[in-house]
Amino acid sequence: MNITDKNRNLVFWVLQFVGWGFINCLSLLLLKNIGLKFVIYSIIFGFTISVSVTSMLRWYIKHYINFESFKSRDLIKIGISFLLACFLFGSLNYLFGYIYAKYGPSISQEHIDMFKMYDGFWIQAINSLFMIGAWTVTYFVIKLLLKLNKDRIERLELNTNLKQAQLNTLKGQINPHFMFNSLNNIRGLMLEDVDKSREMLTKLSEMLRYSLTKNNVNGITVEEELEMVGNYIALSKIQFEERLKFEKKIEKEALQLQIPPMIIQLLVENAAKHGISKLKHGGKIKLKVSIENNGLQIKVINSGKLEISKGSTQLGLKNIKQRLKLLYGEKATFALNEKEGEVIAEINIPQA
């Protein structure tokens, strides 16, 4: 039995004792003129009968009714068990009433005549149907509410786990994407400049360490991300040499704000791969990070035209869009446009 089951059982018994205790204590008001002994007798045995019968009904429902795959025969079982509980409830009340009348302290003839008015079969039947019926309806309503709450929590947990799994998969796509290009570039450099290739390997190892240590988090500071971007630019310049120029303009207030790991690096990589690499004389990548309208704005602007190569998977762009949607829903935006010979990638991330 888990903690949830224990809590539910505790709640059930508290409600049982409080509910039936309150109902049976009404005898103090209704029967106060008959005699204290009879009132005490009525409360004790009325409470005992009520709790015992409804507890047995609950036990049967829990063990023999499957609410996960509810069928018509389960409804029949509930109906039969309900009628049996009503019969038992009425019979026990009649039995203990008879015992008190026969063997208990004497009461006035006036009160005996009053009790005889409520001694008929139909009166007992209606009373039993009403009391057990009210308990059954209350029980099923509470059970339904608990089930709905449980289903809601399970859906939230499932949704959270699904989002986290998707994020981990997306972050796993990032590493091979830039790793493949970087290793190829360093391999070409090793035959020309050993010292330079060693330096680039060091930067690549720093990038690997960064990606591994940040793989289990969904938020890092802009300052940390910029270190990653710096290493990526240094690696990219092996390939592009003087063809690649890089400028950045970062507002100081934005440095400690949280963003998804490697999201700026992906924008810069996309600008280099699909923009600068296609220009014979190279071009410029500009990075701007600022606070606009109480949110973080990231812009990566590169020389060139907005053209999607035939056969391109657009893995980097898809990754960015999916991660933003998973983390921020519709609040974060991503846009890619061309304006006056430049491609502008813009991300806006809300800040709490």
Side-chain angles (χ1 to χ4, degrees), residues 51-301:
V51 171
S52 300
V53 172
T54 52
S55 296
M56 285 189 286
L57 179 57
R58 183 221 184 196
W59 178 88
Y60 177 84
I61 291 172
K62 282 188 66 177
H63 287 81
Y64 294 98
I65 306 298
N66 186 359
F67 289 96
E68 300 299 327
S69 57
F70 195 82
K71 298 178 181 178
S72 56
R73 63 184 180 185
D74 291 313
L75 191 59
I76 295 172
K77 289 180 182 179
I78 292 174
I80 294 174
S81 62
F82 166 72
L83 291 175
L84 288 173
C86 290
F87 175 77
L88 184 59
F89 181 83
S91 299
L92 288 174
N93 272 290
Y94 183 86
L95 174 64
F96 283 99
Y98 175 81
I99 292 173
Y100 184 87
K102 190 170 183 65
Y103 302 105
S106 60
I107 56 178
S108 67
Q109 185 62 41
E110 179 185 352
H111 291 136
I112 292 174
D113 294 338
M114 183 184 73
F115 284 125
K116 285 182 178 180
M117 292 172 59
Y118 301 96
D119 198 26
F121 170 79
W122 291 110
I123 296 296
Q124 287 290 344
I126 291 171
N127 178 63
S128 300
L129 287 170
F130 176 77
M131 297 299 289
I132 302 300
W135 181 93
T136 304
V137 170
T138 303
Y139 176 79
F140 278 113
V141 167
I142 293 174
K143 192 170 183 67
L144 177 62
L145 291 175
L146 289 173
K147 188 177 187 306
L148 289 174
N149 186 59
K150 179 183 176 183
D151 291 343
R152 182 182 65 83
I153 293 172
E154 287 179 351
R155 283 196 302 271
L156 287 173
E157 290 178 348
L158 180 62
N159 192 40
T160 301
N161 292 336
L162 177 61
K163 283 186 176 183
Q164 192 59 51
Q166 288 175 310
L167 282 170
N168 290 337
T169 300
L170 291 170
K171 284 187 283 188
Q173 292 174 346
I174 298 171
N175 300 337
H177 197 218
F178 77 82
M179 274 284 295
F180 179 78
N181 294 331
S182 300
L183 286 171
N184 273 339
N185 293 336
I186 294 172
R187 184 181 63 179
L189 180 66
M190 289 181 72
L191 299 175
E192 301 174 7
D193 191 334
V194 175
D195 291 335
K196 185 71 173 177
S197 62
R198 184 182 294 113
E199 180 186 345
M200 293 300 103
L201 280 173
T202 300
K203 291 186 178 297
L204 181 59
S205 68
E206 290 176 359
M207 291 181 73
L208 282 172
R209 179 180 60 81
Y210 173 91
S211 63
L212 288 172
T213 55
K214 304 303 180 185
N215 194 49
N216 293 323
V217 298
N218 292 325
I220 59 166
T221 63
V222 171
E223 188 173 21
E224 289 178 283
E225 178 77 352
L226 291 177
E227 293 179 15
M228 175 79 158
V229 172
N231 288 331
Y232 176 79
I233 291 295
L235 288 168
S236 297
K237 282 188 175 181
I238 303 173
Q239 177 184 352
F240 297 109
E241 297 178 337
E242 298 302 319
R243 294 171 58 217
L244 172 60
K245 294 179 175 61
F246 179 71
E247 293 180 1
K248 63 180 179 179
K249 184 179 179 181
I250 315 295
E251 286 188 4
K252 186 177 179 181
E253 293 79 5
L255 288 174
Q256 298 306 314
L257 295 182
Q258 294 281 311
I259 60 171
M262 301 183 75
I263 205 163
I264 297 179
Q265 184 270 328
L266 276 174
L267 290 177
V268 173
E269 181 180 359
N270 192 69
K273 183 178 179 182
H274 298 289
I276 307 304
S277 65
K278 295 181 179 180
L279 301 176
K280 182 177 180 181
H281 300 290
K284 182 184 291 184
I285 296 177
K286 293 180 283 186
L287 170 62
K288 297 180 179 180
V289 181
S290 59
I291 298 175
E292 303 289 340
N293 299 321
N294 296 322
L296 180 66
Q297 185 182 81
I298 301 167
K299 282 188 178 181
V300 174
I301 306 167

